Amino acid sequence: MPPATIRSSPDRLSRPQQVAEAIKSWVMANGWRPGDRLPSETELIERFGMAKGTIREAIRILEAQGLVKSRTGPGGGVFVHQVSEERATALLGNYFYFQHLTIDDIYQIRIVLEPELAASLAGTLSEAQLAALEAVMTCYAEPARTVEEEREQHIASLRFHALLAEMSGNPLLRFLIRFTANMLSDITVSRGLYSLPNRELWASGLDYQARLLQALREGDPVAARRILHEHMKNAHRLMRLQETVLTQRFLPEGGII
Amino acid sequence: MPPATIRSSPDRLSRPQQVAEAIKSWVMANGWRPGDRLPSETELIERFGMAKGTIREAIRILEAQGLVKSRTGPGGGVFVHQVSEERATALLGNYFYFQHLTIDDIYQIRIVLEPELAASLAGTLSEAQLAALEAVMTCYAEPARTVEEEREQHIASLRFHALLAEMSGNPLLRFLIRFTANMLSDITVSRGLYSLPNRELWASGLDYQARLLQALREGDPVAARRILHEHMKNAHRLMRLQETVLTQRFLPEGGII
DNA sequence: CCCAATTTGTTCGTATGTATC
DNA sequence: AGATACATACGAACAAATTGG
């Protein structure tokens, strides 16, 4: 039951935007799932009575939102697509590009989310999952000797948190943990913060994660929460220290990205 | 320094997508701010050596992400635009449309974020801000007698939280609080949960918010955090109760949106 | 391997709408 | 009101990609 017509001009949406909205609500109303094929361009042209260019722009709008993907050739067409986490992260990142996020802002969130994640996972992980976490930890069993190693360890420690998040049954928590870690990574990389070898951060991080694993294995949510809370507070403190040192040395003024 | 050419075809991005990416990184590299004007369509056509349609699709992609807005007429053109919170909310909402978010998932986040917000605001609010919060509270000073009133109070109580979030200096916290409240609202509305008059939710909510205001005024972050934590736990409990009742009565199966 | 069919992708020319002066 | 400058929309043709014979 495709809509034959479109509201002419109640608001200030351009026609492609109207078409995109129409298609979107049409898909949602029919409960179409990822993989389902939308009508072909030609069909849409007939259905909406609009030019090819207009329809194509509408498709592009939906594609930019990550809601559809299109393929050429026979059996091709436009298909409903599940918005990927990467796409969602990028789109939300655009929003914060214009907001002046600070290290403090991000840690205020991490400092409550990460412990909550740890607590909710305590006692629920399989031995395979715990082993996977331990495997990541081996990446920074030794202190970094070069800037390159420091960088790799930084990435690995972020992967530890990402992996932990992956094990949560809560999609919202999963996304937020990974998103905040990503934002933090973007900021630190853009400011070159990770390039300062920080032995204390390495040592404390390793210790905290080892104790966390034990608490997770023993199924002690209270301990898991406390450990990750301390870990976050400490990481925050050390990063602020680095930030201060760095801004005092190099940067004329604070400024994100 | 506009890019004269574009990478021919390293990955599988369509040309409009490539152009959109090129324009985006070009804007970011030059540090252009909202309000700045991009080159006109004709200029972009010359610059990239592509047809009008291709350029237009690229602009649509950026527009869908909320990064630009275009106006017709003299002095018109395509302008850098700050991604609005509404747009960001909608785009992120698309992601969770495909994830099966439950009431529990959302409350697991709210139950840690809202208390954190309250604690960080304690003692920092002006008398005018406190008065604004009290003003919203008057909307549900009396128990609802009709379904319509129940609905209005539900909205008002969400506005209380949104207003509180607005007062935070942390853009990330602000967004997340409002986003989670929004998602919760979407789910409850789509399931008709708010339509069950719930006198206990009303009474406890009013009491909690009054005590919260007092703690905020007195600058007691510990009390503010504890109060909102209890409030969230209680709201969660009551909503789960409603959900159970409702699904047992009406719904054949669980299913979001 | 090539050829044909199908579907999206791209181009160009032209015309229309809209806001400013 | 008219001229100008800009985005917006249309239509027809052609190009590229993919699939199957």
Side-chain angles (χ1 to χ4, degrees):
Chain A
M1 251 51 76
T5 67
I6 256 198
R7 64 190 185 287
S8 55
S9 60
D11 40 34
R12 289 312 181 89
L13 289 180
S14 66
R15 275 206 263 213
Q17 283 171 332
Q18 291 176 34
V19 173
E21 281 304 310
I23 293 178
K24 184 172 163 182
S25 51
W26 177 20
V27 167
M28 290 176 70
N30 291 32
W32 291 357
R33 306 306 303 172
D36 291 346
R37 205 194 112 159
L38 268 59
S40 70
E41 275 187 7
T42 358
E43 286 181 90
L44 290 173
I45 290 168
E46 291 171 9
R47 197 113 48 200
F48 288 99
M50 287 173 190
K52 180 168 176 152
T54 310
I55 298 295
R56 284 183 57 77
E57 287 180 31
I59 303 282
R60 265 8 212 277
I61 290 172
L62 296 174
E63 203 167 12
Q65 300 178 332
L67 291 168
V68 305
K69 277 241 185 298
S70 44
R71 291 200 313 265
T72 61
V78 181
F79 299 85
V80 178
H81 192 257
Q82 178 163 359
V83 180
S84 70
E85 185 183 312
E86 293 71 31
R87 181 64 61 102
T89 299
L91 292 172
L92 188 56
N94 286 341
Y95 171 70
F96 288 108
Y97 174 75
F98 295 104
Q99 314 283 330
H100 291 288
L101 271 196
T102 66
I103 302 271
D104 289 351
D105 290 337
I106 297 176
Y107 266 102
Q108 188 178 14
I109 306 302
R110 298 192 81 201
I111 217 166
V112 292
L113 286 189
E114 297 266 7
E116 170 64 25
L117 169 67
S120 70
L121 288 182
T124 72
L125 300 181
S126 70
E127 198 50 46
Q129 289 177 308
L130 291 164
L133 289 169
E134 275 165 350
V136 175
M137 280 183 60
T138 63
C139 295
Y140 37 98
E142 296 297 321
R145 276 157 309 186
T146 68
V147 173
E148 186 51 35
E149 276 188 21
E150 175 80 18
R151 184 183 145 74
E152 282 170 11
Q153 291 193 353
H154 180 82
I155 304 291
S157 99
L158 289 176
R159 198 163 66 241
F160 182 89
H161 288 276
L163 189 56
L164 210 59
E166 191 62 32
M167 296 172 181
S168 169
N170 183 340
L172 183 55
L173 182 56
R174 209 156 52 204
F175 176 83
L176 294 182
I177 296 258
R178 294 168 72 134
F179 179 74
T180 50
N182 245 336
M183 289 297 292
L184 189 63
S185 180
D186 285 355
I187 289 185
T188 55
V189 168
S190 76
R191 294 191 187 178
L193 287 186
Y194 64 85
S195 64
L196 279 185
N198 188 322
R199 189 159 188 135
E200 190 184 349
L201 184 56
W202 163 79
S204 69
L206 191 61
D207 176 54
Y208 279 123
Q209 293 187 358
R211 284 165 53 207
L212 173 64
L213 269 178
Q214 191 185 349
L216 290 175
R217 201 185 299 270
E218 292 172 354
D220 186 344
V222 176
R225 186 189 295 274
R226 197 193 59 243
I227 291 167
L228 210 31
H229 180 76
E230 284 171 23
H231 178 32
M232 281 292 127
K233 272 179 67 175
N234 197 39
H236 183 197
R237 183 178 62 78
L238 292 171
M239 191 153 281
R240 281 223 307 223
L241 216 60
Q242 277 198 6
E243 187 180 32
T244 310
V245 170
L246 231 135
T247 48
Q248 283 176 354
R249 281 192 192 156
F250 306 116
L251 299 176
E253 265 191 49
I256 297 178
I257 298 178
Chain B
M1 243 56 75
T5 66
I6 256 199
R7 62 191 189 289
S8 53
S9 59
D11 40 33
R12 290 311 180 86
L13 290 181
S14 67
R15 275 206 264 211
Q17 284 170 331
Q18 290 175 33
V19 173
E21 281 303 311
I23 293 177
K24 185 171 163 182
S25 50
W26 177 20
V27 167
M28 291 176 71
N30 292 31
W32 291 356
R33 305 306 302 173
D36 290 346
R37 206 194 111 159
L38 267 59
S40 70
E41 269 191 11
T42 20
E43 286 181 89
L44 289 173
I45 291 168
E46 292 172 10
R47 195 103 60 192
F48 288 97
M50 286 170 190
K52 195 161 29 191
T54 309
I55 299 295
R56 284 181 58 76
E57 287 181 28
I59 302 284
R60 288 304 190 204
I61 290 172
L62 295 174
E63 204 166 14
Q65 299 178 338
L67 291 167
V68 305
K69 276 240 184 299
S70 46
R71 290 200 312 268
T72 62
V78 182
F79 299 85
V80 178
H81 192 257
Q82 177 163 357
V83 181
S84 70
E85 185 183 312
E86 293 71 30
R87 180 65 63 103
T89 298
L91 291 172
L92 188 57
N94 286 341
Y95 171 70
F96 287 108
Y97 174 75
F98 295 103
Q99 314 283 330
H100 292 287
L101 272 196
T102 67
I103 303 269
D104 290 351
D105 290 336
I106 297 176
Y107 266 103
Q108 189 178 13
I109 306 301
R110 297 194 80 200
I111 217 167
V112 292
L113 285 189
E114 297 265 6
E116 172 63 26
L117 169 68
S120 69
L121 288 181
T124 73
L125 300 182
S126 68
E127 198 50 46
Q129 288 177 310
L130 292 164
L133 288 168
E134 276 166 350
V136 175
M137 279 183 60
T138 62
C139 294
Y140 36 98
E142 296 297 322
R145 278 157 308 188
T146 69
V147 173
E148 187 52 36
E149 277 188 20
E150 175 80 16
R151 185 182 143 75
E152 283 169 9
Q153 290 192 353
H154 180 83
I155 303 291
S157 99
L158 289 176
R159 200 163 63 241
F160 181 89
H161 288 277
L163 190 55
L164 209 59
E166 191 62 32
M167 296 171 182
S168 168
N170 185 339
L172 182 56
L173 182 56
R174 208 154 54 204
F175 176 83
L176 294 181
I177 295 258
R178 295 169 72 136
F179 179 75
T180 50
N182 244 336
M183 289 298 292
L184 190 62
S185 180
D186 285 354
I187 290 184
T188 54
V189 167
S190 76
R191 293 191 187 176
L193 287 185
Y194 63 85
S195 64
L196 279 185
N198 188 321
R199 190 161 188 132
E200 190 182 349
L201 184 56
W202 162 80
S204 70
L206 192 61
D207 177 55
Y208 279 124
Q209 293 187 358
R211 284 166 52 207
L212 173 63
L213 269 178
Q214 191 185 349
L216 290 175
R217 202 185 297 271
E218 291 171 355
D220 186 345
V222 176
R225 184 188 297 272
R226 199 194 58 242
I227 291 167
L228 210 31
H229 180 76
E230 284 172 23
H231 178 31
M232 281 294 126
K233 272 180 68 176
N234 197 39
H236 183 197
R237 184 179 59 80
L238 291 171
M239 190 153 281
R240 280 223 306 223
L241 216 60
Q242 278 199 3
E243 188 182 30
T244 310
V245 170
L246 231 136
T247 47
Q248 281 176 356
R249 281 193 193 154
F250 306 115
L251 298 176
E253 264 192 48
I256 298 179
I257 301 178

